[in-house]
Amino acid sequence: MNTEIRRLLEDVKEGSVSVEDALLQLKKQPFEDLGYARVDLHRRLRQGVAEVIYGAGKTAEQIRGIVASMEKNGQKRILITRLPEERYAELDDARIAYHKDARFGLLGGMPEPDGLGSIVVACGGTSDIPVAEEAALTAEALGNEVVRLYDVGVAGLHRLLSHMDEIMSASVIIAIAGMEGALASVIGGLADCPVIAVPTSVGYGASFHGVSALLSMLNSCASGVTVVNIDNGFGAAYTASMINHKTR
Amino acid sequence: MNTEIRRLLEDVKEGSVSVEDALLQLKKQPFEDLGYARVDLHRRLRQGVAEVIYGAGKTAEQIRGIVASMEKNGQKRILITRLPEERYAELDDARIAYHKDARFGLLGGMPEPDGLGSIVVACGGTSDIPVAEEAALTAEALGNEVVRLYDVGVAGLHRLLSHMDEIMSASVIIAIAGMEGALASVIGGLADCPVIAVPTSVGYGASFHGVSALLSMLNSCASGVTVVNIDNGFGAAYTASMINHKTR
Amino acid sequence: MNTEIRRLLEDVKEGSVSVEDALLQLKKQPFEDLGYARVDLHRRLRQGVAEVIYGAGKTAEQIRGIVASMEKNGQKRILITRLPEERYAELDDARIAYHKDARFGLLGGMPEPDGLGSIVVACGGTSDIPVAEEAALTAEALGNEVVRLYDVGVAGLHRLLSHMDEIMSASVIIAIAGMEGALASVIGGLADCPVIAVPTSVGYGASFHGVSALLSMLNSCASGVTVVNIDNGFGAAYTASMINHKTR
Amino acid sequence: MNTEIRRLLEDVKEGSVSVEDALLQLKKQPFEDLGYARVDLHRRLRQGVAEVIYGAGKTAEQIRGIVASMEKNGQKRILITRLPEERYAELDDARIAYHKDARFGLLGGMPEPDGLGSIVVACGGTSDIPVAEEAALTAEALGNEVVRLYDVGVAGLHRLLSHMDEIMSASVIIAIAGMEGALASVIGGLADCPVIAVPTSVGYGASFHGVSALLSMLNSCASGVTVVNIDNGFGAAYTASMINHKTR
Amino acid sequence: MNTEIRRLLEDVKEGSVSVEDALLQLKKQPFEDLGYARVDLHRRLRQGVAEVIYGAGKTAEQIRGIVASMEKNGQKRILITRLPEERYAELDDARIAYHKDARFGLLGGMPEPDGLGSIVVACGGTSDIPVAEEAALTAEALGNEVVRLYDVGVAGLHRLLSHMDEIMSASVIIAIAGMEGALASVIGGLADCPVIAVPTSVGYGASFHGVSALLSMLNSCASGVTVVNIDNGFGAAYTASMINHKTR
Amino acid sequence: MNTEIRRLLEDVKEGSVSVEDALLQLKKQPFEDLGYARVDLHRRLRQGVAEVIYGAGKTAEQIRGIVASMEKNGQKRILITRLPEERYAELDDARIAYHKDARFGLLGGMPEPDGLGSIVVACGGTSDIPVAEEAALTAEALGNEVVRLYDVGVAGLHRLLSHMDEIMSASVIIAIAGMEGALASVIGGLADCPVIAVPTSVGYGASFHGVSALLSMLNSCASGVTVVNIDNGFGAAYTASMINHKTR
Amino acid sequence: MNTEIRRLLEDVKEGSVSVEDALLQLKKQPFEDLGYARVDLHRRLRQGVAEVIYGAGKTAEQIRGIVASMEKNGQKRILITRLPEERYAELDDARIAYHKDARFGLLGGMPEPDGLGSIVVACGGTSDIPVAEEAALTAEALGNEVVRLYDVGVAGLHRLLSHMDEIMSASVIIAIAGMEGALASVIGGLADCPVIAVPTSVGYGASFHGVSALLSMLNSCASGVTVVNIDNGFGAAYTASMINHKTR
Amino acid sequence: MNTEIRRLLEDVKEGSVSVEDALLQLKKQPFEDLGYARVDLHRRLRQGVAEVIYGAGKTAEQIRGIVASMEKNGQKRILITRLPEERYAELDDARIAYHKDARFGLLGGMPEPDGLGSIVVACGGTSDIPVAEEAALTAEALGNEVVRLYDVGVAGLHRLLSHMDEIMSASVIIAIAGMEGALASVIGGLADCPVIAVPTSVGYGASFHGVSALLSMLNSCASGVTVVNIDNGFGAAYTASMINHKTR
C-alpha cells in the first residue's frame, strides 16, 4: 500500500494528478461493488492466491455475479467452497468442476503443484472424508501436491504408524478428526513440521457437533499444532498452502 | 436383603420375634447415626470392600467420629480420600499412613494383592501424578497389584509404546490425562482389557479445568473405554478393583 | 506385537526373511485399505471380539464393501450399529437380522452365551428403550446372557426394588436413563458389581439432549459407576462383555 | 393496594386530603431510604412474614442501619442470611443468635411453630449440612416445625427408606443435595407433598459448583418437584413456610 | 407402606399367609408390566392424584395399552400430556378431549374444582400460550379453579398491574415467560403466595431455547419463587394443585 | 402517567368523576384485550413511536386481529417484524409492503425522514444482509435517513476505510456481523457517535449460531459500543431511531 | 481524517511538504509510543471526550507514564477506571480524586454538566452500588447531570414506581442489576428514552457471575434496551454521555 | 525411525546384534525415566528444536532433575516456560536468564537468528504483554528475529496501520489479543503470511477468561489464520519458528 501512496503523492507533486483526483483515488475501492457484495479484485495480488467464493448463504445469482466480476478482472481460477449441490445445479455452468461430498466447485482447472513439498491430509474416520476432501481439493487448487491418509484414527494406531514415511517427509500436515480429536496430538508428536488441526462435527452426544474435538486440539500436548474452526477444511488448506509456498 | 427379610419373616411366624419388633427391625438402620453422618456398617458386606471416608469438607472431629464408629463395628482397614494435609495434621493419629500428593490416608496397612491380575495406572504427564497416585494407592489398598506408567503422554508416543508388554497383560487399565486427554483413546486402541479413563484438571485456558479431557474421553473412538469424573482417581480404582476381583 | 517382532527378527537372523522384506512387513498393514476405510482384520485377535461396523455416516456401498472385506478374511459374525432403516433397506441383504428401534444389524446370528454371569440392562423409561435395546442386543451378540429391566425409573422406586434379586446377582449392570439420570446412582448404591451408566438424550428443556443425565452420572455418589457417551448403548455393552468374559 | 387507593380517593373526594397531598402520598415510599438501601417497611404486611436481610455484600454499618430502621418501625424478628462470621463479629450485637455453619443470624428469638404440619429438611451428605441448616433455621424462624434428615444420600438407599414415616407425613419436604442431586427425584417419587429441591455446590470436577445437581433436579422425572437456586436454603425454606401456612 | 407391611407381618404370624407367599407379596409389583412400560396402579393412592401419561416418545399402541391397563384398574380420569396431534389422530378415541396448542388430552372429563382457592396462570406473551394452556388445563383436570392472565409481560407493566386483585387473591401463581423471564420476579414481588415459575423456549438468539428465562427465574430476587424445567407447564400445575389442595 | 393521575384526582375532587369510576379508570387497561394478546394502544404516546407487531409465533388470524384493533384506535403506520413469507401470503393484505429477506411487513407506507442525522447500517458479509435490511427498513419506517454499507467486513479493511466519510458523519451506526463480529470494534474505534452492535447467527462450527459474535461485541475494546440480541436488527434500529430523534 | 489527508496533499502539491515528509507524516503516529502503551493523543479530538486510562493490569509506573504523556499533550481531565486501591496508594498523587467502591480516579476535577438532559443511573440492590457509582462518576466526569436511583429492584416494584418522574424525564437511563437482571426490562417498558443495561456479577450459584443477568438483558422484551459487558459501568456511561451530548 | 529400524535389522542380519538385544533396543526408551518424568532425549533430533520444560506444576527439584538429565545428554539450550517467580528463586541457578512477566527462563543464552525472515509479535493492549513476551522470547530462543508491535488494538486502528511495513514484510505474524480478539482478523486481512492467533485471558465479565477472544479468532473471516490455546504464547512461537525455518 505504501508504494501506491508514494507513487500517488509523487504524481500529485508533479501535477499529473490533481489533489481532488488523488483524494478520490485514495478512496476508490480496489473492489467492485455489486450491491450485495464487494468483489475484492486486488486480493490475489495482495495475498498471492486465487480468489475464493464462500458459497454458503449466497444465491446462484449472487455467485454468478461475483464470478463474472472476477473474470472481467482477469481472474482465471476461482474456488467456490461450501457450494450446496442444489446451488451447483442452479448455476448450471459446465465449466465448474464439482465435488459433491466436499461441496467444492472449481473454475479454471487444477494447477500444477509448485509448492516446496507435499501437504499430508490425514483424517480419523470415514465420516471425516467430506472435510478432508475440502482440504485436499483446496490445497491442490492452490498448487500443492497432496497425500491423502484417510481412516487412520488413533483407536487403531498401526494404521497411522504404517505411514510414518509420509508423515516424516511432509511439508505441512492437516490432521482432521471428529469425536475426541486425538489424531492431532498423536501426529503432532510424530511429525517435525507444522500440523494444522481441523476438528469435525462428526460424532454424537457429548461430541457437541465438534466442540469436543476442537477443545482436544486446542489443548494438544504436542508442540507445533495450531487449530482452525470446526469443519474448516478450506481454512486449513489455505494456511498450509501459504506455508508450503513460503519463500521468506 | 431378601435373605434377611426371609429370616425375619420366619422368626415372626415361629413367634420368636413379635410383629412390633419385626417392624422395628425392618426400619432399624444398618448404620450408626452420628448426627452429621450415618456410618454405613453393612456396606463392606453388601459391596465387598473396605470402608472409605470421603475426607473433603469434613472436620477432623467428624472424621475421627466416623473412624471410631467403624472400628467399633469391626472394620480393620479404612481409606480416607481427599484428606487435606492440614486435616491430617489435626487428626494427629500415628496409625494413619498418609500420602501427601494424593491426599490419601490409610488405616490398617496395605493388604496382600488378591486380584485376578494387575491394574496398570498410566498417566500423561508429571502434573497428573497426584491423581494417578490416588488411583494407585486406592487400588493397592483394595488388594490389587499395581503397575505405574507415568509421563507416557501421546505427544511422545514411543514412551507409551515401550510398555506394550504391561499394557497387553493388564487386567484393567486406568488411563489418566489432562489437557486433551488423548491417552485414553490410544491405550483403548492398544489394550484388550477394560480401560477406565480419568480426566484431570491439569491444563490451562481451553482445558476448562478438565472438561476438555473429559469430553475427549467420553468421545473416545476406542471401544472398551468408560469414564469417571474429573480427578476421580479413587472412583476409577474402586471400579477397577471390582473388575479385577470378579468371580462371576 | 512383541511376539511378532521377535519372530520376524529371528527370521531375519536366520536369513529366511531379507532386511527389505522385514522392513516392508513391519510396515504392512494388518488391515485392508478400501480407500474410504481401512478394515482392521486383526482386531478380533487383538481385542478378542467380533468385528463391529459403525453404520452412521456410511453409505450402503461402503458398508457392503467393509462387510465383504471382513468376510473374505474369515469374520463370521458382524455387528452393524447405528444402522438407519433406509440404509438397511438399501443394503437389501437377507442375511442381516435387523432391529429397527435399536438401529442394530447382525450378520451370522446370535451366539450362545459364554460369559461368567448375566448382564442386567436397566432403563428408566419407555423412551430409553431404543438405547437399552442397542445395549442388550450388542451384549447378546458378544456372547452374554442379558436380563432386561425396563421402565424402572427412580420416581417409582418400588418398580426397581422389586428386582433386587436380578440386581444382586448380576455380573455387570448397564444403567440407562435420560432426564435426571438418577437411576445410575440408585443402582450403584444397591449393587455389588460394576455399573456402566449410559445417559440418554431423552428429555426436554434443561435436559440439553442428555447432558443433564451425563453430568448426574459422572457425579454419582455411588462407587463402582463409570460412564459412557450419551446414547452409547453399544459402548456400554462392549465393556460389560469384556468384564463378563474376564479370565485374568 | 387497591384498598389504600380507594380510601385515598375517598379522602380526596371528601376534601380531607388535597390533590397535591394525595399525589404525594401515592408516590411516598412505603420504605425508608437509607441511601444505600430502601428498607421495605410494608413487606411484612404485604407478604405476611418476618423481615429478612440478605447479608452478603453488605458492610456491618449497612446491616446495622437496616436493622435499626426495621426496629424503629416495629419489626420484632429479623433474619440475617449469608452473614459471614467476620461481619457477625464486627456487628458485635449480643442480641443476634448466630449459627456459623449456616451463616445465619437471628434477632428476636425463635417463634413457636404455627404451621399446618412439619417441614422435612433432608440432605444427601455431610457436606450439604450448611445449606440444610440455613433451610432448617429459616423454616424454624418463620414458625415451622422442622424434621432434619441428614446424610441420607441415594447411594445408601436404606438410610432414606428407614425414614418413610417422616417422609409420608411431611407437609413440605426440602431435598438438598450436591453432586448428582438424585435425592430430589427419589424423595419426589416417595412423597405425596410438594418437594422443593435445593442443589448445592458440593462436589468437584463435573459437578460444576452445583450445576449438575441443579440440572438433575430440573429434569426430575418425579412430579411435585420444584427447584431453587444453588445453595439457596433460605429460598426453599421461605416457600416451604408459605405452603405450610397456607389458609386459602 | 408401613401399614401394609405391618398387616402382612400379622398375617404371617397368624399363619394365614405363608413365609413364601409374604416374601412374594413384598416383591409383587404394585404395577402392571406391559413390557414397554410398568403402569403404576397405586400411584393415585400414594400421591392422591389422577394418573398421567407422558405422551412424548410413546407410540399410539403403547398409549392405548397403558390407558387400557389403567381403566382395567378402575382409573376414571386420565391426562395425556405432550400428545402430538398425529398421535392423537392415530389413537382415534372419541372419548379423549384434545387441546391442540397445549398438546393435551383428557379422558373422563373435567372435574369440579375442589381446591382451597384459585390458581392464577400468567404468561408474558402470545407465544407462551401453549405452555400456559398446558398448565391451565392440567390444573383444571386436577380439580382447581384457574384464572388466566395472558400477554401480561413486564415490558408493559400496566397490563400486569391492572390485575392486582387476581394476583393478591390467588392461592398459587404460575408465572410463565420466555425471553428474559422477568415476569416471575415481578409477580413474586407483588404476590404473597407461592409462585411457580415456568421458563419457556420462546425467544431467539441468546434466549438459548429457554435457558435465559430459566436462569432469570432461578436467580429471582423475589422470595417465594420456585422453578420447573423449561416448557414444563404440567409440572408447575401438578405442584400448584398439590399446594392448592393442602390439608396438613 | 403522573399527569393523568393528577387530572383524575382533580376530577374526583371536583365531583365530576365518582370514586368508583376513578378506581375503575385507574384499573382500566390502556390496551384492548383480544384474549390471545393485549394490544397496547397508548404505547405510541408513551414511547413516541409507531406500533410494532412481533410476527414470529403468531397466526395470520392473530396478526389480523391485532392490526384491526390498532387501526380502530387510529394507528396509521404498523410494522410487522419477523413475518415469515407463508404468514404474509396467508394475510393476503395488499396494503402490506413486504420485504422477503428481512421478513419485514409495513402498513401505511414509509414516512419522510425527520431525524437529526443519518443512521449508517453496516454489515460484514453478504449473508448478514437479511438482518441488515431488517434494521435499515425499521429505521426508515421510524423516520430516519439510512445509509447502507454492506459487505464491509474487517478481513478487507479497505472496503470499510473507503467509507470514512459516511462513518464520520453518522448520527448513529448499526454494526452488524456474524462469525467473529470484529466489525463493531473497528467501527467503534473509528466513529465518534454511538455504535449499536448486532451479532448475527451467520457462521458455522464455533460461531455457535451467533454466540461468538455476541461475545466479541460485548467485549469490544472500543468505547461507545452497546449490543443487542443475536439477529435483532429491529431492536438496534429502534434504539438508533430514539437516539437520532433525541430532543432532550 | 479526510480533511487532514486533503491538506497534506495540497501541501505536497504546493511543494511546502516533500513527498518523503508527507509519506512519513501519513505514517507518523498520532500517539506517543511508551513501549508498553501507545498513548492516543488525538482521541479527544476524534471522539470528543476526555481521555480514559483503563487501570486494571497496569503498574503504577505505567499509569504515571501515561498520565505524564497525556498532560504533556495538553489533556486537562483524565479518568482512571478500574484503579485498585493499592495502585491508587502507590501512585501517591494528591491531585487524583479517588472513589474506593467504584475504583475510580479523576484528575482535573468534575466539569459542569453540559448535556441535553439528565442521565438516570438505577440499580437493583445494595451490592450493585460499586458498578452504579462507576457509571455515575464517569457520566459526571464526562459532563452530565446524574440522578441516582439505588436499590430499586423489581422484587419491590413500588420502590421503582415511586420514581416515575425521574424515569419519564431522563435523557438516557442506565439500568444496573445482577441476579436476574429484570430491572432493565421493567425500566425499558416504562421509559421513552434509550436504556443501557449493565449486568453485574452480583449473585451466587446459577447467576454465573453475571451471565444470567446478561442473558436477561439481551433478551429484554422491551424495545430501546441495549447492553454492555458485565460490570461495565464505564462503558454504559460513556455511551450515555455520547447520546446526552448529541447534536446531530 | 525407519532408518533406525533398518540399521538395526541389518545388524541383526549380520549377526552383530543378537535378536534379544535388538528386541531390547527396540523397546529401549529414547528417554531417561526419572520416575516423575521421562526426559525425551531424542526430541531435538526428531523435531529439530531445543528442548523445552513446561514449568507449571513441577517442583524445583523436578525441574533441576530434568535439566540435569538434559545437560548430561548434551543439550546446550533449555527453555523453561511457565516458570513462576518463586520456583525460579528456589532453583537458585545463576545460569538461568529469567523474564518475570513472561515467566520465562532460559539456559544457554539467546542464539543468533537463523530463520528465513522475521516474526512479528503484535498484541492488542498493555495487559497482553506477558503473553506477547512469552511468544517473543520463545521465538528468539528458537533462532528467530522478532519484531514487537505492542498495544496496537483495533479500537485505535491508526496505531496498527502505521506499521503496515512490518506487517507486509513478516514471515509469520503472531497476533495476540484478549477481550474481543479482533486483532487477528484485522491483521489476517492485511498480511500475506500465516497468522497465528493467541487469545489471552485479559478482560472481564463476558470475556470468560479468554473464551470470547478464542471464539473470535476461530471464526476469523480472514484466511490464513490459525489458533492456539488461550495464553499459549509459547505454542504460537514454536509453530511460527517451524514455519520461519521451513526448508521443504
Side-chain angles (χ1 to χ4, degrees), chain H residues 4-241:
Chain H
E4 293 171 29
I5 294 180
R6 182 192 297 261
R7 190 156 348 116
L8 190 64
L9 290 172
E10 274 161 3
D11 288 351
V12 170
K13 190 182 176 189
E14 290 163 9
S16 67
V17 170
S18 74
V19 166
E20 292 307 310
D21 284 358
L23 187 57
L24 197 74
Q25 213 157 319
L26 274 171
K27 288 177 59 181
K28 213 175 119 264
Q29 307 98 322
F31 45 74
E32 182 174 3
D33 190 342
L34 303 180
Y36 50 83
R38 289 164 202 264
V39 184
D40 197 328
L41 302 168
H42 287 203
R43 190 168 166 202
R44 191 168 49 106
L45 296 174
R46 228 178 57 254
Q47 297 204 333
V49 299
E51 189 63 63
V52 179
I53 302 173
Y54 178 71
K58 293 208 176 66
T59 64
E61 191 182 7
Q62 288 175 331
I63 295 173
R64 228 180 266 120
I66 297 172
V67 166
S69 165
M70 287 175 173
E71 292 185 325
K72 201 175 61 191
N73 283 277
Q75 182 73 35
K76 299 282 186 247
R77 182 169 297 115
I78 301 170
L79 281 63
I80 314 175
T81 64
R82 303 276 163 124
L83 180 66
E85 203 175 0
E86 323 81 80
R87 200 73 66 259
Y88 165 66
E90 283 178 70
L91 283 173
D92 191 26
D93 182 338
R95 300 172 313 156
I96 302 177
Y98 185 65
H99 300 255
K100 181 176 154 185
D101 268 8
R103 292 176 299 165
F104 181 92
L106 180 65
L107 269 111
M110 281 292 176
E112 284 302 299
D114 59 359
L116 299 172
S118 65
I119 295 178
V120 166
V121 176
C123 76
T126 303
S127 311
D128 300 317
I129 291 180
V131 176
E133 274 303 299
E134 188 187 76
L137 291 166
T138 297
E140 287 172 344
L142 297 176
N144 300 279
E145 195 192 321
V146 170
V147 176
R148 287 163 170 84
L149 299 183
Y150 291 176
D151 198 22
V152 293
V154 300
L157 211 52
H158 52 298
R159 298 182 300 185
L160 181 65
L161 295 181
S162 70
H163 289 283
M164 278 306 293
D165 278 357
E166 289 90 336
I167 290 170
M168 295 308 291
S169 63
S171 181
V172 192
I173 301 177
I174 299 176
I176 299 169
M179 301 171 89
E180 92 278 59
L183 188 64
S185 288
V186 172
I187 289 184
L190 294 171
D192 64 354
C193 68
V195 174
I196 303 176
V198 187
T200 72
S201 52
V202 167
Y204 61 91
S207 81
F208 300 129
H209 309 292
V211 172
S212 293
L214 170 62
L215 292 178
S216 264
M217 289 166 168
L218 284 168
N219 284 287
S220 177
C221 51
S223 300
V225 177
T226 60
V227 186
V228 296
N229 197 356
I230 297 164
D231 290 337
N232 191 5
F234 165 75
Y238 187 100
T239 300
S241 179

Side-chain angles (χ1 to χ4, degrees), chain F:
Chain F
M1 197 133 66
N2 275 324
T3 327
E4 293 173 29
I5 294 181
R6 183 192 296 265
R7 189 154 351 115
L8 190 64
L9 290 172
E10 275 162 2
D11 288 351
V12 170
K13 192 181 174 187
E14 292 164 6
S16 65
V17 171
S18 74
V19 168
E20 291 308 311
D21 283 358
L23 187 58
L24 196 73
Q25 213 155 319
L26 274 172
K27 287 178 61 180
K28 213 174 118 264
Q29 307 98 322
F31 45 74
E32 181 174 6
D33 191 342
L34 303 180
Y36 50 84
R38 287 163 204 267
V39 184
D40 198 329
L41 302 169
H42 288 204
R43 193 169 166 200
R44 190 167 52 105
L45 296 174
R46 226 177 57 252
Q47 298 203 334
V49 299
E51 190 62 64
V52 179
I53 301 172
Y54 179 70
K58 294 209 174 66
T59 62
E61 189 182 9
Q62 288 176 331
I63 295 173
R64 228 180 267 120
I66 298 173
V67 166
S69 165
M70 287 175 175
E71 293 185 323
K72 199 176 63 190
N73 283 275
Q75 183 72 37
K76 300 281 184 248
R77 181 171 298 116
I78 300 171
L79 280 63
I80 314 175
T81 64
R82 304 278 163 123
L83 179 66
E85 204 175 0
E86 322 80 83
R87 199 73 66 259
Y88 166 66
E90 283 177 71
L91 283 173
D92 190 27
D93 182 338
R95 299 172 313 155
I96 303 177
Y98 185 65
H99 300 255
K100 180 177 157 185
D101 267 7
R103 292 176 298 167
F104 181 92
L106 179 66
L107 268 112
M110 281 291 176
E112 283 303 299
D114 58 0
L116 299 172
S118 65
I119 295 178
V120 166
V121 177
C123 75
T126 303
S127 312
D128 300 316
I129 291 181
V131 177
E133 275 302 301
E134 187 188 75
L137 291 166
T138 298
E140 288 172 344
L142 297 176
N144 300 279
E145 194 192 320
V146 171
V147 176
R148 287 162 171 84
L149 299 182
Y150 290 175
D151 199 21
V152 292
V154 301
L157 212 52
H158 52 297
R159 298 182 300 185
L160 181 65
L161 295 180
S162 70
H163 289 284
M164 278 306 293
D165 277 359
E166 288 90 337
I167 290 170
M168 295 307 291
S169 63
S171 179
V172 194
I173 301 176
I174 298 175
I176 299 169
M179 301 171 90
E180 91 279 61
L183 187 64
S185 287
V186 172
I187 288 183
L190 294 171
D192 64 353
C193 67
V195 174
I196 302 176
V198 188
T200 72
S201 52
V202 168
Y204 61 91
S207 82
F208 300 129
H209 308 293
V211 172
S212 292
L214 171 62
L215 292 178
S216 263
M217 289 166 168
L218 285 168
N219 285 286
S220 176
C221 50
S223 299
V225 177
T226 59
V227 186
V228 297
N229 197 357
I230 297 165
D231 290 337
N232 190 4
F234 165 75
Y238 187 100
T239 300
S241 178
M242 267 188 171
I243 298 174
N244 193 36
H245 284 84
K246 202 96 218 98
T247 53
R248 66 149 189 280

Side-chain angles (χ1 to χ4, degrees), chain A residues 155 180 185 189 206-207 212 216 219 221, chain B residues 155 180 185 189 206-207 212 216 219 221:
Chain A
E180 91 279 61
S185 288
S207 80
S212 292
S216 263
N219 285 286
C221 51
Chain B
E180 91 279 59
S185 288
S207 80
S212 292
S216 264
N219 285 287
C221 50

Side-chain angles (χ1 to χ4, degrees), chain C residues 154-155 157 161 179-180 182 185-186 189-190 204 206-208 212 215-216 218-222, chain D residues 154-155 157 161 179-180 182 185-186 189-190 204 206-208 212 215-216 218-222:
Chain C
V154 301
L157 212 52
L161 294 180
M179 300 171 90
E180 92 279 61
S185 288
V186 171
L190 295 170
Y204 62 90
S207 80
F208 300 129
S212 292
L215 292 179
S216 262
L218 284 169
N219 284 287
S220 176
C221 51
Chain D
V154 300
L157 212 52
L161 295 181
M179 300 172 91
E180 92 279 60
S185 288
V186 172
L190 294 171
Y204 62 92
S207 81
F208 300 128
S212 292
L215 292 178
S216 263
L218 284 169
N219 285 287
S220 177
C221 51

Side-chain angles (χ1 to χ4, degrees), chain A residues 25 48 60 79-80 102 105 113 120 154 157 161 216 245-246:
Chain A
Q25 212 156 321
L79 281 62
I80 314 175
V120 166
V154 301
L157 212 51
L161 294 180
S216 263
H245 284 83
K246 203 99 216 87

Side-chain angles (χ1 to χ4, degrees), chain B residues 29 31-39 62, chain D residues 101-102 119-138 140 146-153 159-160 162-163 174 176 183 187:
Chain B
Q29 308 98 325
F31 46 74
E32 182 175 4
D33 190 342
L34 302 180
Y36 50 84
R38 290 165 201 264
V39 184
Q62 288 175 332
Chain D
D101 268 8
I119 295 177
V120 166
V121 177
C123 76
T126 302
S127 312
D128 299 317
I129 291 181
V131 177
E133 275 302 301
E134 187 188 76
L137 290 166
T138 298
E140 287 172 343
V146 170
V147 176
R148 285 163 171 83
L149 299 182
Y150 291 176
D151 199 22
V152 293
R159 297 181 301 185
L160 181 65
S162 71
H163 289 284
I174 299 175
I176 298 168
L183 187 64
I187 288 184

Side-chain angles (χ1 to χ4, degrees), chain G residues 96-174:
Chain G
I96 302 176
Y98 185 65
H99 299 256
K100 182 176 154 185
D101 268 8
R103 292 176 297 164
F104 181 93
L106 180 66
L107 268 112
M110 282 292 177
E112 282 305 297
D114 59 359
L116 300 172
S118 65
I119 295 177
V120 166
V121 176
C123 76
T126 303
S127 312
D128 300 317
I129 291 181
V131 177
E133 275 302 301
E134 187 187 77
L137 291 165
T138 298
E140 287 172 344
L142 297 177
N144 301 280
E145 194 192 321
V146 170
V147 176
R148 286 163 171 84
L149 299 182
Y150 290 176
D151 199 22
V152 293
V154 301
L157 212 51
H158 53 297
R159 297 182 300 186
L160 181 65
L161 295 180
S162 70
H163 288 285
M164 279 304 294
D165 277 358
E166 289 90 337
I167 290 170
M168 295 307 291
S169 63
S171 179
V172 193
I173 301 177
I174 299 176

